[in-house]
Amino acid sequence: MDIRRIAINAVTEIIEITVMPTDYKGQVAKRINEKMPLATVKGFRKGAVPKDLVEKQYGKAIKQEEVKKVVDLALERFITAERLALLGTPLEIEKEIFNWEVEGLTFQYEIGLAPFFTLDLEAKTDVVKYIVTADDKMIDGQVTRIQKQFGKAIPQDVVSEKTDVSGTFTNEEKGINNPITISLDIFKDKVTAKKFIGKKSGDVVTVNTKGLFEDDHQLMDFLKVSHDDVHGLEVDVNFTIENINETEPAELNQELFDKLFGEGNVSSLADLKSKIKEDAESQFAEQAQQKLTDDVVNALIENTKFDLPEAFLKKWLQTVGEKKLSPSEAEAEYYRSEKGLRFQMIEGRALAQSDIKINFEDLKSFTSRSIRQQMAQFGQTNPTDQEVEGIVARVLSNQEEVKRLSEQVTKDKLMQMLVEKANPTTKEVTYDEFIAAMYGE
């Protein structure tokens, strides 16, 4: 047997395997002998078929099966021996006509190689760590929303400037179908609001999306339009009115405060505003942290240049998965996943360059936080330490879970290191400014 590598480029090669009769002949003969007692050929009793007829009837198929086993094993062992870091799996280069009668049978496999590259974690970046603050405008607006949310809804026959209108925005062409409750002050100009005045339940009001709101991003909230579509969107949408109510604002009293935050935790408007600010900025911090992480990832991808076996991966993507992809579908899938693949390789290189280690306390702490978050989602906001520790102990007694959690903790630590190495500058902004920065505007 002869095996050799043929370079196409730095990240794509062909492995060529030539198999000789000595590599498979013995196993083929063994299979023929095993087949003889079971062979059935017309005119002969079962088990009494001459060997040459058995070989004629079954020999070609057996030979092909045994050669395939030999080639598959040789390919696997060669990749291991050569320590080849593959992207995807080897693709056999199929020949239109394959001559099984020649002495040396040659098979070729195309492979994609993980590229070698250097990773500079100290490279200068323009990454920003945003500190998002809740300003007075946002806090006052939230107070007003609370009063409306817990106020008394009084049904009305017609729409007025003071009413809230429930209905559904629709546009079949753009797939818009979003039920929502609105007040007329959401619109950018009074001309649009006047279209609603005097309308009744069941009436349909048509408005155009261009300049509908002060900020085009509000189309994402009110019409559920994707961010990619909001800019310059100019289509008519219908709003079908279903309910009309005028809200008598709830009184800001102790009963409302206790309902919102628990007995005695808030006792004045000042306390309420302080709590709104605290809760809002806690949520903003999570969003800002996610943006920081995304920006660090993007900076690393942008600053770390290396080639991928693009042509090979596009072909490989056509063959994997239950549904076979067309060339155009595979190309689209490649471009969807390319960024993730690049960062996956950067992560691997960064981990190899680092000295990140985790211990059992790291696992316990991470598991405890995860469990508390999960319990909070189901309404258990204040579990006891004893309850959480009991669940942690059960989780960490499962070796599969320990392995999974260890990988997650390692990834989290690695990401923390990458963020620190990016050395982001800190900038304090309002939420509106943060949204503008998030979408690059």
Side-chain angles (χ1 to χ4, degrees):
M1 181 185 299
D2 177 61
I3 306 179
R4 64 187 184 120
R5 292 165 60 182
I6 304 170
I8 297 175
N9 54 47
V11 288
T12 313
E13 292 186 356
I14 290 174
I15 297 177
E16 185 175 270
I17 303 174
T18 300
V19 180
M20 303 304 290
T22 52
D23 298 313
Y24 60 84
K25 203 170 183 179
Q27 190 61 26
V28 170
K30 180 182 176 183
R31 289 275 307 277
I32 293 291
N33 289 335
E34 291 172 349
K35 196 77 176 177
M36 287 185 67
L38 306 172
T40 56
V41 174
K42 191 174 181 179
F44 295 92
R45 287 183 297 104
K46 185 177 181 180
V49 182
K51 187 172 184 177
D52 61 337
L53 289 181
V54 174
E55 288 177 341
K56 184 177 180 180
Q57 184 166 354
Y58 300 104
K60 185 176 180 180
I62 291 174
K63 176 182 176 179
Q64 290 177 4
E65 290 173 6
E66 292 305 319
V67 168
K68 185 70 168 65
K69 291 178 185 177
V70 168
V71 171
D72 287 348
L73 183 58
L75 180 63
E76 180 183 338
R77 288 177 173 174
F78 183 76
I79 289 170
T80 302
E82 293 286 302
R83 298 182 180 179
L84 300 179
L86 302 187
L87 295 179
T89 53
L91 289 178
E92 184 174 0
I93 301 174
E94 297 182 359
K95 300 176 182 178
E96 288 186 19
I97 300 175
F98 190 91
N99 186 356
W100 285 92
E101 303 306 319
V102 297
E103 184 176 47
L105 301 173
T106 299
F107 301 85
Q108 291 184 323
Y109 293 85
E110 187 176 351
I111 58 171
L113 299 172
F116 175 81
F117 60 93
T118 57
L119 179 62
D120 183 6
L121 296 179
E122 308 294 339
K124 183 175 174 57
T125 71
D126 57 359
V127 174
V128 176
K129 179 179 181 179
Y130 291 96
I131 308 297
V132 188
T133 60
D135 57 14
D136 290 342
K137 178 184 175 183
M138 171 174 281
I139 294 170
D140 290 341
Q142 185 61 24
V143 171
T144 301
R145 281 190 288 275
I146 288 172
Q147 288 185 276
K148 287 188 71 171
Q149 181 182 350
F150 292 92
K152 181 180 179 182
I154 304 172
Q156 304 292 309
D157 293 327
V158 297
V159 178
S160 71
E161 292 181 354
K162 296 180 180 180
T163 55
D164 293 324
V165 187
S166 297
T168 304
F169 278 115
T170 58
N171 177 288
E172 187 174 349
E173 179 188 355
K174 291 292 182 180
I176 297 169
N177 190 326
N178 189 48
I180 196 167
T181 298
I182 61 172
S183 57
L184 300 189
D185 60 4
I186 66 169
F187 299 116
K188 185 176 181 178
D189 60 60
K190 292 183 179 180
V191 174
T192 302
K194 284 181 180 178
K195 290 185 176 183
F196 288 79
I197 302 297
K199 299 295 183 182
K200 300 178 180 180
S201 178
D203 288 346
V204 178
V205 180
T206 301
V207 296
N208 193 278
T209 55
K210 184 177 181 181
L212 187 59
F213 304 115
E214 194 69 41
D215 184 347
D216 283 344
H217 291 113
Q218 289 175 276
L219 292 169
M220 298 166 63
D221 299 320
F222 291 106
L223 275 67
K224 298 304 178 192
V225 177
S226 71
H227 180 258
D228 290 340
D229 291 335
V230 298
H231 297 291
L233 183 65
E234 189 174 354
V235 297
D236 287 336
V237 289
N238 294 324
F239 186 88
T240 303
I241 297 173
E242 295 160 9
N243 292 298
I244 307 165
N245 290 294
E246 185 173 332
T247 302
E248 182 179 307
E251 184 180 348
L252 295 173
N253 55 26
Q254 194 61 49
E255 181 182 355
L256 178 61
F257 299 153
D258 290 347
K259 183 187 293 186
L260 289 171
F261 303 105
E263 188 173 347
N265 291 316
V266 170
S267 57
S268 66
L269 176 58
D271 286 350
L272 173 62
K273 289 185 174 183
S274 177
K275 184 64 175 171
I276 290 172
K277 181 178 177 67
E278 178 187 340
D279 290 348
E281 290 182 352
S282 176
Q283 292 179 24
F284 298 161
E286 292 180 12
Q287 295 176 41
Q289 182 61 41
Q290 185 57 57
K291 175 168 172 54
L292 174 60
T293 300
D294 291 344
D295 289 347
V296 169
V297 168
N298 289 332
L300 281 166
I301 293 172
E302 180 65 28
N303 294 335
T304 309
K305 305 297 184 184
F306 53 82
D307 292 329
L308 289 172
E310 181 176 329
F312 166 81
L313 289 173
K314 289 176 183 177
K315 285 186 283 187
W316 177 73
L317 284 169
Q318 294 178 53
T319 68
V320 294
E322 294 180 8
K323 179 190 173 187
K324 303 303 180 186
L325 302 182
S326 68
S328 60
E329 289 173 330
E331 183 171 20
E333 179 61 28
Y334 172 79
Y335 288 121
R336 275 195 297 270
S337 59
E338 180 186 7
K339 183 177 175 181
L341 176 58
R342 287 183 178 277
F343 186 63
Q344 183 181 338
M345 300 190 68
I346 289 170
E347 273 188 314
R349 183 58 53 85
L351 192 59
Q353 291 180 195
S354 71
D355 58 352
I356 291 176
K357 296 181 178 64
I358 64 170
N359 54 41
F360 193 66
E361 287 303 315
D362 293 326
L363 282 177
K364 283 180 62 178
S365 177
F366 178 84
T367 307
S368 177
R369 288 196 305 273
S370 298
I371 288 169
R372 288 183 184 276
Q373 289 171 358
Q374 291 172 21
M375 294 177 79
Q377 291 174 359
F378 292 97
Q380 293 178 267
T381 55
N382 292 302
T384 66
D385 291 344
Q386 187 175 5
E387 286 176 316
V388 174
E389 287 171 5
I391 299 172
V392 169
R394 288 197 296 274
V395 170
L396 296 183
S397 66
N398 184 318
Q399 289 303 308
E400 286 298 315
E401 278 297 292
V402 169
K403 180 182 177 182
R404 184 184 67 80
L405 291 167
S406 296
E407 291 172 353
Q408 186 60 57
V409 172
T410 301
K411 277 197 166 188
D412 285 358
K413 281 197 169 188
L414 178 62
M415 197 66 238
Q416 291 171 19
M417 182 198 76
L418 295 177
V419 170
E420 290 172 6
K421 294 287 187 181
N423 194 25
T425 56
T426 301
K427 185 177 182 180
E428 188 171 304
V429 295
T430 65
Y431 187 66
D432 288 342
E433 291 169 334
F434 174 68
I435 291 298
M438 180 178 287
Y439 294 114
E441 297 150 12

